[in-house]
Amino acid sequence: MPDAKPIYVLNGPNLNLLGTREPDIYGHATLADIEKACADRAGQLGRGIVFRQSNVEGELVDWLQEARDKGCAVILNAGAYTHTSVALHDAIKAIGVPVIETHLSNPAAREEFRHVSLVGKAAKGVIAGFGAASYLLAVEAAALLARDQESPAA
Ligand code: DQA
């Protein structure tokens, strides 16, 4: 698949601190470790990735809009913006590219304020609770969705 569009992997606030941030909840893998694991798995599936992190909500909106033309699917761990951001919800609705909401932890099993997901109300599906492996499961899902979109009969 030489012209296959990449999977966008977008990470929100505080995920730059992975490895040292509450490791009992989020594990010991750094975001760089996760990026490498995603790139390796996507490569095995014939895809590239675009991997980014920002603490700024609007930047995540810009990258979702970029993925509208340039990406085949989006893996989005929006961090705390998952629970608050109408702007991310609306961007997901606007782009028409499948978005997989992804979390290291399982927000449904945590504090009540994490039980609402505005991202999830617009996303294609959710993968949560498997630590860094959530990202690899999301890469699998993204590659499947992209393949189905590119050649629906396959
Ligand atoms: C998180 C879960 C969110 O509730 C939290 O705000 C994060 C990380 C996760 O990956 O488990 O920043 O998205």
Side-chain angles (χ1 to χ4, degrees):
M1 267 184 289
D3 297 328
K5 288 181 176 178
I7 298 165
Y8 273 60
V9 187
L10 304 181
N11 296 281
N14 300 308
L15 293 168
N16 54 313
L17 300 180
L18 284 182
T20 56
R21 175 193 181 198
E22 299 185 273
D24 46 320
I25 297 175
Y26 298 116
H28 292 280
T30 65
L31 201 59
D33 295 334
I34 291 172
E35 176 174 4
K36 175 155 185 356
C38 286
D40 288 350
R41 188 68 195 112
Q44 289 162 359
L45 298 168
R47 297 271 163 191
I49 62 165
V50 171
F51 194 98
R52 297 190 187 141
Q53 187 276 333
S54 178
N55 294 328
V56 179
E57 186 178 10
E59 199 155 26
L60 294 164
V61 171
D62 285 344
W63 292 339
L64 282 165
Q65 291 186 11
E66 181 183 310
R68 178 187 202 181
D69 297 321
K70 296 190 175 160
C72 64
V74 178
I75 294 168
L76 175 62
N77 184 351
Y81 291 140
T82 303
H83 315 298
T84 62
S85 178
V86 177
L88 288 178
H89 171 280
D90 288 355
I92 293 166
K93 287 271 193 191
I95 63 174
V97 168
V99 174
I100 301 160
E101 176 184 351
T102 303
H103 301 284
L104 296 137
S105 68
N106 177 4
R110 299 180 61 194
E111 304 96 322
E112 199 151 337
F113 63 84
R114 298 184 203 277
H115 295 180
V116 171
S117 172
L118 301 186
V119 164
K121 290 180 192 295
K124 178 83 178 168
V126 184
I127 298 174
F130 300 99
S134 290
Y135 282 79
L136 299 184
L137 296 168
V139 167
E140 303 274 346
L144 282 174
L145 289 170
R147 192 194 63 187
D148 288 351
Q149 281 199 336
E150 285 162 4
S151 49

